[in-house]
Amino acid sequence: MTAIPSLARGRSCEGCTVCCKLPEAASVKKPAQTWCTHCTIGDGCRIYDQRPDECRSFYCGWVLDAGLDDAWRPERSRMLVKFEPGRIIIHVDKDRKGAWRREPFLTQIRSWAQAALLHRGEVIIWDGPDRLRIAPNGEAVKAAEPQRR
Ligand code: SF4
Ligand code: SF4
């Protein structure tokens, strides 16, 4: 059984289904940047009780970390942040390509990239279909890799 992490105070997934579009969900053959066929957009998963483990265990950075302010709310920003050991991954909706370059996002992303440099980590942005590695000055370098959760 998948453990449910503690969510940040006052945050929940209610009304949000952004993670059912942006990252890949291989178990249900859902490519990245495509709505899952089981999703009722803005409402939830129609196979909630039978959803695969990769969905069951997925919580984005915004819902887990109160340090990410409300500008990052996924259904508003159309971006999804995922904190992993040694790296931060940001998925940007292909219909809002480039949204990460606006403020307050760019300043936050630069700051993450600067911190990552000190810890040999990295900040990766999936800007629609493009995989970008972000330098501490905010510059982006393209690289290829499959887009996963
Ligand atoms: S994107 Fe985040 S807040 Fe939205 S449903 Fe997924 S985990 Fe919840
Ligand atoms: S199976 Fe359910 S939770 Fe998983 S991506 Fe599809 S709609 Fe979302």
Side-chain angles (χ1 to χ4, degrees):
M1 197 165 150
T2 309
I4 299 174
S6 42
L7 305 187
R9 184 191 285 264
R11 296 206 171 157
S12 80
C13 295
E14 199 176 335
C16 178
T17 50
V18 171
C19 55
C20 300
K21 178 182 181 187
L22 302 195
E24 178 191 39
S27 328
V28 285
K29 298 187 170 50
K30 188 200 89 60
Q33 299 289 346
T34 306
W35 284 109
C36 178
T37 54
H38 302 296
C39 180
T40 300
I41 299 169
D43 188 19
C45 176
R46 289 192 297 276
I47 57 163
Y48 188 79
D49 291 337
Q50 289 81 42
R51 70 199 189 286
D53 281 348
E54 69 178 314
C55 301
R56 215 170 268 275
S57 61
F58 184 84
Y59 291 89
C60 73
W62 176 82
V63 83
L64 293 174
D65 184 352
L68 265 190
D69 74 37
D70 256 358
W72 287 94
R73 192 184 190 99
E75 75 263 41
R76 184 185 301 164
S77 66
R78 309 306 295 182
M79 286 188 273
L80 190 158
V81 179
K82 192 178 171 205
F83 297 111
E84 290 186 348
R87 69 178 181 172
I88 297 173
I89 300 174
I90 303 164
H91 296 269
V92 181
D93 193 321
K94 66 178 174 24
D95 299 327
R96 296 273 185 92
K97 206 164 179 292
W100 63 275
R101 296 181 189 275
R102 295 201 310 264
E103 296 297 351
F105 309 113
L106 184 57
T107 296
Q108 175 70 79
I109 290 165
R110 272 198 197 115
S111 147
W112 283 331
Q114 284 157 10
L117 187 69
L118 297 176
H119 301 99
R120 298 176 183 231
E122 59 181 356
V123 177
I124 300 294
I125 298 182
W126 280 103
D127 194 9
D130 299 332
R131 182 180 190 267
L132 309 173
R133 184 190 295 262
I134 307 302
N137 64 0
E139 278 181 26
V141 180
K142 260 195 190 184
E145 188 184 285
Q147 188 166 2
R148 300 202 173 90
R149 274 187 188 256

